[in-house]
Amino acid sequence: MKRTISVTVNGKVRRESVEPRLLLVHFLRDVLRLTGTHVGCDTSQCGACTVSMNGLAVKSCTILAVQADGAEITTIEGLARDGALHPIQAAFREHHGLQCGFCTPGMIMAAKQLLERYPAPTIEQIRDQLDGNICRCTGYHGIIKAIEAAARAMAEKGQAPTTGS
Amino acid sequence: MLGKAIPRKEDQRFITGAGLYVEDVQLPGMLYAAFVRSAYAHAYIRRIDVERARNVPGVVAVITGKEWPELSATLPELNGSVTLTSPYIDSVKVVPHHLFPEKACYVGEQIAVVIAESAYAAADGVEAVEVEYEPLPAVASWEEAIKPEAPRIHKGVDNTVAHLKHEVGDVERAFRDAEIVLEKRLETQSLKSMAIECRAVAAQWEEATGTLNVWSTCQFHYMLRSAIAGILKMPAEAVRVMARDIGGGFGLKGVLHAEDVIIPLIAYRLKRPLRWAETRMEHMTASNHSGRQVHDVRIAARRDGTILGMDLKMYKEVGAYDHFDMMLQINTINHLTTHYKVPNIRVEGWAIATNTSPGSPYRGAGRVEAVFTMDRVLDAVARATGLDPIDVRLKNIVTPADMPYRNGMIYRDGVPVTYDAIDFPLLLERAKQRAEYDLWRRRQQEYRAAGRSIGIGISSYVEAGGLGPCEGATVSIDEAGRVTVKVGVNSQGQSHETTLAQICAHALGAPIDDIQVLGGDTSLMNIGFGTGASRVAVNAGNAVYKAAVAVRRKVVALASGILGCTEDEVEIADGIVSVAGARQNQTTLGELARRALRDRRMADLGGPGLVATEFFYPKTVTWASGVNIAVVEVDRETGHVDILKYVFVHDCGLPLNPMVVDGQIRGGFTQGLGIALGERVVYDEEGQVRSGSLMDYYVPRAVDVPDLELDHVTFPTPDNPLGIKSVGESGPNSPPAAIAAAIEDALGGAVEINTLPVTMSAILQALRSS
Ligand code: FES
Ligand code: FES
């Protein structure tokens, strides 16, 4: 019944045998023990489970682990490089983009995709693009400020966003 | 450090995915639980067939409640509420709430638990359990439940489970003297707190230490400890409840649900770690909700806009088990008059059981209902008299000259409601200025001529916070100068690790980077209460302040001996302890902590080490307040509401961290926006949940939230050493009333808005029928 899959997660190749029905989010959380990716619903509304798969933001609760066979995945745990926070992570802290922190990993991964698509987004674009991510704590204000600030910081650093993970 | 907008200390772990929420707890040999839940709102459970489920691969056990005697326990009757002492209540009937009921009283009520090697296998097991029900007629609304022929939810118990009344002044006379008498029925819906993290609990029996470890999303971890220890007849100390990283609470997690107790009991029996995490669907059906509330209100007024009296009847749906007796209605009453004088008031309230999950507080906890009523009343008086809504408010407002002002209500702690050192007219004036009220009133006419519907709504709230009885804190300094603050409260995102560290840094003179705040673990403090009722900043904050001051006193006493100066000459800054004016003669907090371990002088200073525990007991609640003004445009074709401007003026006493205060207001405002425009738990007549997922229950998204103009006004309170008030429940109170009023105003008096939420379809319907 079980199938062996090979997935590159945060730069490391992981070979595991999984049940075909296992959701990607549970593969990440329960098999790989990367618990930064959260589950907030069962109807793919909340976005807490957002990760980057082959450079695209996906809701990992809507994908089977076996569908990720051969894919490259970045989770919140893989965003900081050599101990240095990604500019989006730093901006979320600087601009109070989180309270309970539960939506935060998904928000940050969604923001990463957003900034790849719109390196200098307007506020309207940010609001629109966050449609698939719910935050119950912040009222989004700090999140929007953080994404604007991250866009500026990344532009200054010449960190041209790429579509790769 | 105090009052500074510094970034949060807790953020590092959350932005890197390193937080440890309950569902992240994974232990060797862990088992997973899934619940079999009632498909009916009201039914006898005749038979539970577990045979097939037992044979499902991975299933370890199926528990139906008959296995061990402790499973026949009931939940503690009143979930930490003390309202039975309220002078308003004259009758209350609490029905025992069994962990495993013989009769299901709401859809989603737990019937059996499947324990398995994986969460998937547990879910398979649930599918395989067959339950034979004997369905009974159900009642899902108070209107049905109070009918004489209505089915009883609990045998031999009237569906009206509690009653209260209270009168201030002479209401009959007020109505005799009235020039205007108005009557309204106002309705607010039941709501879900809808934290993005659902509930969860994990438990592990630790044989080596004889400790039952419990990880919980509960806001009141000591209450959970008592419940578990009580049922297992263990010393409280043998149960350790950890509730550290919690993904939002907002009241729903402040309640004991059956699963919170069942999971630890089973883990203890099976001697295997066990975890359960609620699904969103379970959350929408089985978890508590706030309960629909209907107000029949009569108002006596004069033609000049003076309110003479109010007569209010309140009907509240409390669900199948009323764990909070009438706490929410009492909150409504105690916040009812907000900034205004209502010299004669009579309230009567009924708590009515229905076949739904139990009722419990949601952020605001009765305040939204209070504010919506008072502002709708003021606006009705404005309409009846032809006065501007601002003028009606100024006519009735409590002024600084009236302070200390008592409105005749008695708070839940038994102390008369008293406003002092607050300038309500100033808040209103500030809001009016910030909103450019007069300008928008002129524009409203111009736009109307151009066929556009603009409206302005005003709302005022008060927020009692900092409810006792008390909280404690322990502050200690280690030999490296690192400071640890331990508290008996936990956090669901409120930023305690930062704000409480700021208080400690301020009081002690230690660098903030050297201070860590620990909470949410019953092993840290022997006694604590928890997080709810906007009580942490006032109670725990002042406890931290007192404990840090006590440690500072020890530092000063010891340092004066060691440095050879008087106590007055000792200065502490940035962790350096020195003699005033003589910079070379200095030591550090760490060095003093090391010496304090063995120095005999500590014998007179309370014992070894630089450590102190203090408790803060508030005299009564503090009163935060604010005024909101909304300017909206309504599209008469679609019913869409566009918020053109939203001003939020508020006082919460001295802010500990303005960034955090902003965040609390903005987050709370957004929840209020949801209440105004769409949030609603819906049951059909059979008690089936019609709002079973995030697709059917509106939660504001980023596109829905307007820019908020926030204005902080500070009226410090003399009632606690830090001069602080609460802010946690300020945000949601006024937006529903302000937005509803603005929509009504935009429609030019064609319709009255008396029901929340004001959805697009409700607007279209109202326009059509007008
Ligand atoms: S968990 Fe909610 S969208 Fe995936
Ligand atoms: S920070 Fe709590 S849900 Fe977003």
Side-chain angles (χ1 to χ4, degrees):
Chain A
M1 259 275 276
K2 285 200 171 181
R3 269 185 53 187
T4 302
I5 57 169
S6 167
V7 190
T8 305
V9 180
N10 300 332
K12 259 210 253 163
V13 181
R14 314 292 297 253
R15 277 177 73 81
E16 301 284 347
S17 82
V18 300
E19 276 189 65
R21 63 172 174 170
L22 184 72
L23 294 174
L24 177 59
V25 66
H26 294 134
F27 174 71
L28 296 170
R29 289 181 49 81
D30 300 338
V31 180
L32 303 187
R33 307 221 159 175
L34 293 169
T35 53
T37 303
H38 298 149
V39 177
C41 73
D42 37 25
T43 50
S44 59
Q45 308 282 305
C46 76
C49 61
T50 308
V51 300
S52 166
M53 178 159 137
N54 297 329
L56 286 179
V58 296
K59 290 183 173 177
S60 61
C61 73
T62 61
I63 292 176
L64 297 169
V66 292
Q67 290 174 295
D69 193 9
E72 287 215 10
I73 287 177
T74 306
T75 69
I76 188 72
E77 289 92 343
L79 217 51
R81 286 285 150 83
D82 310 318
L85 293 176
H86 188 283
I88 303 175
Q89 290 173 309
F92 264 67
R93 179 166 64 191
E94 201 56 39
H95 295 275
H96 199 24
L98 60 148
Q99 289 181 24
C100 78
F102 199 78
C103 72
T104 310
M107 282 287 178
I108 290 177
M109 297 312 290
K112 180 169 173 283
Q113 165 92 74
L114 189 160
L115 291 176
E116 281 160 6
R117 206 171 275 163
Y118 304 99
T122 63
I123 291 197
E124 280 64 39
Q125 283 168 334
I126 297 175
R127 288 187 195 274
D128 274 353
Q129 294 289 309
L130 289 182
D131 203 40
N133 291 72
I134 304 178
C135 176
R136 189 56 155 170
C137 298
T138 63
Y140 305 96
H141 181 82
I143 294 172
I144 293 165
K145 286 269 166 296
I147 294 173
E148 284 185 298
R152 283 194 302 272
M154 286 160 78
E156 268 166 35
K157 273 196 190 165
Q159 195 167 345
T162 57
T163 41
S165 58
Chain B
M1 198 31 71
L2 208 57
K4 277 221 184 98
I6 58 164
R8 303 197 315 164
K9 292 169 80 75
E10 46 269 79
D11 283 351
Q12 177 69 21
R13 66 178 183 277
F14 296 132
I15 55 179
T16 55
L20 188 77
Y21 300 90
V22 176
E23 207 185 344
D24 302 338
V25 174
Q26 293 191 358
L27 299 166
M30 190 165 233
L31 297 172
Y32 301 84
F35 282 83
V36 177
R37 297 183 179 280
S38 176
Y40 292 92
H42 201 191
Y44 282 110
I45 317 296
R46 286 306 180 204
R47 202 171 55 88
I48 307 174
D49 188 348
V50 301
E51 272 327 294
R52 230 160 47 84
R54 285 220 168 97
N55 293 322
V56 167
V59 168
V60 172
V62 185
I63 309 289
T64 62
K66 306 276 180 290
E67 290 74 6
W68 310 301
E70 66 270 23
L71 297 182
S72 61
T74 56
L75 285 174
E77 289 195 343
L78 293 173
N79 275 185
S81 98
V82 290
T83 50
L84 266 184
T85 58
S86 169
Y88 307 161
I89 299 182
D90 53 20
S91 84
V92 56
K93 174 82 189 144
V94 183
V95 179
H97 188 171
H98 286 271
L99 298 182
F100 290 91
E102 282 170 10
K103 191 183 79 167
C105 288
Y106 55 94
V107 169
E109 188 164 8
Q110 69 291 340
I111 293 173
V113 201
V114 176
I115 312 294
E117 299 286 352
S118 74
Y120 281 59
D124 291 343
V126 167
E127 292 295 313
V129 172
E130 279 165 40
V131 182
E132 196 182 300
Y133 298 96
E134 181 188 327
L136 298 163
V139 280
S141 68
W142 70 266
E143 290 95 331
E144 289 302 315
I146 57 167
K147 289 183 178 160
E149 71 279 12
R152 292 275 180 274
I153 289 154
H154 301 289
K155 219 172 167 181
V157 179
D158 197 272
N159 290 341
T160 298
V161 288
H163 177 261
L164 62 73
K165 55 179 193 295
H166 182 59
E167 179 158 357
V168 180
D170 185 343
V171 171
E172 291 304 327
R173 212 182 118 187
F175 279 87
R176 277 199 305 277
D177 295 348
E179 291 161 347
I180 299 171
V181 172
L182 301 167
E183 273 185 49
K184 285 173 99 63
R185 168 165 281 201
L186 303 168
E187 177 174 336
T188 48
Q189 305 305 324
S190 183
L191 307 162
K192 281 274 175 181
S193 299
M194 207 61 83
I196 300 305
E197 176 200 39
C198 292
R199 294 188 301 114
V201 53
Q204 172 209 35
W205 170 249
E206 197 178 287
E207 190 69 44
T209 58
T211 308
L212 184 55
N213 292 315
V214 179
W215 293 262
S216 166
T217 51
C218 187
Q219 292 171 225
F220 290 91
H221 43 314
Y222 291 88
M223 176 173 75
L224 180 56
R225 179 180 72 173
S226 305
I228 297 167
I231 293 170
L232 287 176
K233 301 188 173 57
M234 280 181 176
E237 293 291 309
V239 178
R240 177 183 181 192
V241 180
M242 290 160 275
R244 188 168 171 239
D245 289 345
I246 300 176
F250 316 118
L252 185 145
K253 291 176 183 166
V255 181
L256 281 188
H257 290 81
E259 302 91 342
D260 303 335
V261 176
I262 291 173
I263 297 298
L265 298 187
I266 297 177
Y268 175 62
R269 279 286 180 171
L270 297 182
K271 305 283 184 269
R272 296 232 353 226
L274 179 63
R275 192 181 81 197
W276 168 74
E278 186 184 53
T279 64
R280 179 61 63 186
M281 192 177 154
E282 288 181 292
H283 187 79
M284 300 306 294
T285 50
S287 270
N288 290 19
H289 58 125
S290 71
R292 206 170 134 247
Q293 193 164 320
V294 171
H295 289 177
D296 283 332
V297 61
R298 286 172 65 231
I299 309 116
R302 278 210 206 100
R303 265 189 289 274
D304 68 356
T306 306
I307 292 177
L308 299 175
M310 190 194 288
D311 190 4
L312 174 66
K313 298 199 181 337
M314 323 163 75
Y315 308 91
K316 175 88 186 168
E317 292 169 2
V318 294
Y321 295 96
D322 184 22
H323 287 297
F324 289 86
D325 59 67
M326 304 194 82
M327 182 186 121
L328 297 175
Q329 282 160 288
I330 292 169
N331 274 359
T332 300
I333 294 168
N334 289 339
H335 292 80
L336 182 64
T337 63
T338 64
H339 301 192
Y340 307 98
K341 294 178 207 165
V342 185
N344 305 289
I345 281 203
R346 181 167 60 205
V347 287
E348 183 168 13
W350 294 264
I352 300 148
T354 49
N355 286 114
T356 73
S357 65
S360 62
Y362 166 46
R363 192 181 197 172
R367 294 168 178 86
V368 164
E369 291 85 346
V371 169
F372 186 63
T373 301
M374 191 65 214
D375 283 311
R376 295 283 65 209
V377 161
L378 289 159
D379 290 341
V381 172
R383 284 156 67 114
T385 56
L387 291 166
D388 187 281
I390 293 257
D391 295 331
V392 172
R393 283 166 171 80
L394 286 173
K395 190 95 208 163
N396 294 287
I397 204 162
V398 176
T399 68
D402 300 317
M403 304 270 172
Y405 180 79
R406 289 189 175 181
N407 62 4
M409 305 306 176
I410 297 150
Y411 210 73
R412 277 160 56 205
D413 54 11
V415 180
V417 168
T418 310
Y419 302 151
D420 202 1
I422 309 169
D423 190 339
F424 292 130
L426 177 85
L427 294 174
L428 183 59
E429 182 58 26
R430 280 283 270 266
K432 199 180 151 205
Q433 295 302 332
R434 282 296 289 259
E436 301 171 295
Y437 184 81
D438 297 328
L439 177 70
W440 277 103
R441 277 278 175 240
R442 281 201 302 279
R443 274 193 201 154
Q444 185 179 30
Q445 299 309 322
E446 294 160 25
Y447 282 39
R448 195 163 282 161
R452 291 175 61 184
S453 304
I454 307 285
I456 308 167
I458 307 156
S459 173
S460 321
Y461 70 86
V462 287
E463 182 210 357
L467 192 65
C470 66
E471 282 294 344
T474 299
V475 172
S476 60
I477 308 177
D478 76 6
E479 295 155 74
R482 283 181 294 250
V483 180
T484 299
V485 178
K486 295 179 186 172
V487 288
V489 295
N490 59 2
S491 161
Q492 299 81 38
Q494 295 90 339
S495 321
H496 304 155
E497 285 172 49
T498 305
T499 51
L500 297 180
Q502 286 179 274
I503 293 170
C504 180
H506 162 77
L508 190 54
I512 185 114
D513 290 340
D514 288 351
I515 302 173
Q516 62 164 344
V517 175
L518 302 177
D521 181 343
T522 56
S523 73
L524 295 169
M525 296 284 295
N526 192 25
I527 293 172
F529 296 88
T531 302
S534 304
R535 60 187 302 280
V536 170
V538 171
N539 284 274
N542 282 295
V544 169
Y545 177 76
K546 285 178 68 180
V549 166
V551 171
R552 189 182 206 281
R553 234 179 268 129
K554 295 187 186 194
V555 169
V556 167
L558 186 61
S560 72
I562 288 169
L563 298 175
C565 62
T566 66
E567 293 194 1
D568 290 344
E569 287 168 331
V570 176
E571 283 181 352
I572 312 172
D574 233 12
I576 309 289
V577 185
S578 55
V579 183
R583 272 286 152 192
Q584 56 281 60
N585 197 5
Q586 64 179 41
T587 179
T588 62
L589 287 176
E591 172 60 16
L592 288 172
R594 192 183 61 76
R595 305 222 6 201
L597 293 177
R598 293 175 185 282
D599 197 303
R600 284 197 61 87
R601 276 172 285 211
M602 296 309 292
D604 298 328
L605 295 172
L610 296 179
V611 55
T613 300
E614 292 286 337
F615 285 82
F616 177 72
Y617 280 79
K619 275 188 241 153
T620 181
V621 290
T622 55
W623 288 92
S625 57
V627 175
N628 289 196
I629 295 184
V631 182
V632 307
E633 175 162 12
V634 178
D635 183 332
R636 285 173 173 265
E637 299 299 314
T638 63
H640 179 80
V641 176
D642 196 11
I643 298 177
L644 305 179
K645 197 177 183 72
Y646 200 100
V647 172
F648 198 123
V649 178
H650 84 113
D651 158 53
C652 65
L654 287 172
L656 298 172
N657 179 329
M659 180 190 84
V660 168
V661 168
D662 259 44
Q664 286 296 314
I665 295 286
R666 290 180 191 279
F669 160 77
T670 303
Q671 293 183 347
L673 180 73
I675 300 169
L677 297 179
E679 293 194 32
R680 181 181 186 189
V681 174
V682 186
Y683 288 93
D684 69 12
E685 303 93 81
E686 313 279 279
Q688 294 290 339
V689 185
R690 287 280 168 256
S691 48
S693 78
L694 279 171
M695 290 190 285
D696 321 289
Y697 186 98
Y698 168 74
V699 172
R701 308 292 204 272
V703 275
D704 303 330
V705 184
D707 269 332
L708 198 60
E709 287 185 41
L710 251 178
D711 192 2
H712 308 280
V713 177
T714 304
F715 306 129
T717 170
D719 286 348
N720 62 67
L722 290 170
I724 56 178
K725 301 179 184 175
S726 61
V727 70
E729 289 176 286
S730 281
N733 300 326
S734 271
I739 292 168
I743 293 170
E744 182 179 280
D745 187 43
L747 299 179
V751 293
E752 273 190 38
I753 307 269
N754 293 322
T755 302
L756 291 175
V758 196
T759 59
M760 287 166 71
S761 58
I763 291 171
L764 289 180
Q765 223 167 32
L767 278 174
R768 247 175 250 135
S769 60
S770 74

